[in-house]
Amino acid sequence: MRPIAVHLDEGWRRHADPAWLEGWTPRAFELAGGVTEVVALGEGPPLLLLPPLPGYKEVFAPCARLLARRFRVVTFDLRARFDRRPRWEALLDDLDRVADAFAPGAAIVVGHSLGGALAQRRALARPERVRALVLSSAFARVTTPRGHWRSRYVDQLLTLAALRCLPERRALAYARGLAARSGWVFDPQCDDRVLAFVRFAVRRVPLALAAACVRLAMDHDARSDLPRIACPTLVLAGERESAFVRDAADELVRLIHDARLAISPGAGHLHPLSNAAWFAETIAAWVGAGVGVGSSALML
């Protein structure tokens, strides 16, 4: 069947730390209307990793093998082809199919950014299938705090254009400068492997797909429903995230009963890549402690 999900070609591996590739063996899996790729590794309680815009599972490669020491880790590429327009319902149906095949029963669901919105919808639509919820750099709705219009709508577009269009050496030099000052999604912990991987992925995102994903994110507003989430919830954010992501994390903690907040030290929006050990250790420690008690922030 035809590919129906995003797909990052194998060239990304030349930018990867060899350790990222331990156990990373994608396999084709059939969805309605086509196929995606799934990676499943490790043994233990099932843990689903839902990727950010545009849906490349490879964003979790640095932390998947670390989580696999404790969990049965499952991640997959998100759908890129829809009937008519992108719909959350189609993504939920895909998630049902993958979970039924690779993570039956109640699972820990971890979503980063756009994947966090999908994770919220999973917890609301299938509460019996969500043992615990981890919302990483996620949002109940997309907002732009006062004074940050330029950073969201101008600076981000200029950065994406530079990473897509500049020659590799100049693009990486530009990315290093951003990382040094925690610009865009980068932070000083992003080494050259991370920067090169992100540039590789950015250059392969179809612009129409990126626009569709942004529209999907804009359609997400779960504020009125989030108080219904009853499972233990951990909210993660990078210490160097943008103001609107930190505000979004605070909003999630306010709206979800007994949600806990953990801040990734020194990291930005890419903390599953740039601070992968902290990401994996924090989730494992929270689950090991009985998936959270109280609402105080974890500063680890």
Side-chain angles (χ1 to χ4, degrees), residues 159 163 166 169-192 195 240:
T159 296
L163 293 178
L166 288 176
R169 289 182 63 183
R170 290 185 60 192
L172 288 179
Y174 177 76
R176 289 187 197 106
L178 287 173
R181 63 178 187 274
S182 297
W184 192 47
V185 297
F186 298 129
D187 62 67
Q189 297 176 155
C190 292
D191 61 19
D192 278 1
L195 298 177
R240 295 174 180 261

Side-chain angles (χ1 to χ4, degrees), residues 149-159:
W149 182 91
R150 177 182 173 86
S151 65
R152 181 184 285 280
Y153 295 106
V154 178
D155 294 348
Q156 289 199 38
L157 293 177
L158 291 174
T159 296

Side-chain angles (χ1 to χ4, degrees), residues 149-237:
W149 182 91
R150 177 182 173 86
S151 65
R152 181 184 285 280
Y153 295 106
V154 178
D155 294 348
Q156 289 199 38
L157 293 177
L158 291 174
T159 296
L160 287 167
L163 293 178
R164 285 179 74 97
C165 301
L166 288 176
E168 184 172 11
R169 289 182 63 183
R170 290 185 60 192
L172 288 179
Y174 177 76
R176 289 187 197 106
L178 287 173
R181 63 178 187 274
S182 297
W184 192 47
V185 297
F186 298 129
D187 62 67
Q189 297 176 155
C190 292
D191 61 19
D192 278 1
R193 289 186 187 275
V194 170
L195 298 177
F197 168 77
V198 172
R199 176 182 178 269
F200 183 88
V202 165
R203 284 171 58 84
R204 281 151 180 82
V205 178
L207 295 179
L209 173 61
C213 288
V214 169
R215 288 195 297 271
L216 199 62
M218 294 292 188
D219 285 343
H220 178 74
D221 187 346
R223 286 174 294 170
S224 63
D225 295 317
L226 290 180
R228 293 196 287 110
I229 291 180
C231 64
T233 301
L234 176 66
V235 177
L236 305 179

Side-chain angles (χ1 to χ4, degrees), residues 32-74:
V35 296
T36 186
E37 278 191 351
V38 176
V39 167
L41 62 162
E43 299 295 336
L47 185 148
L48 291 164
L49 291 172
L50 308 183
L53 182 158
Y56 295 133
K57 63 187 178 302
E58 285 79 10
V59 75
F60 292 122
C63 60
R65 65 186 176 85
L66 303 175
L67 287 164
R69 297 170 183 171
R70 286 279 311 274
F71 305 101
R72 171 66 168 172
V73 175
V74 177

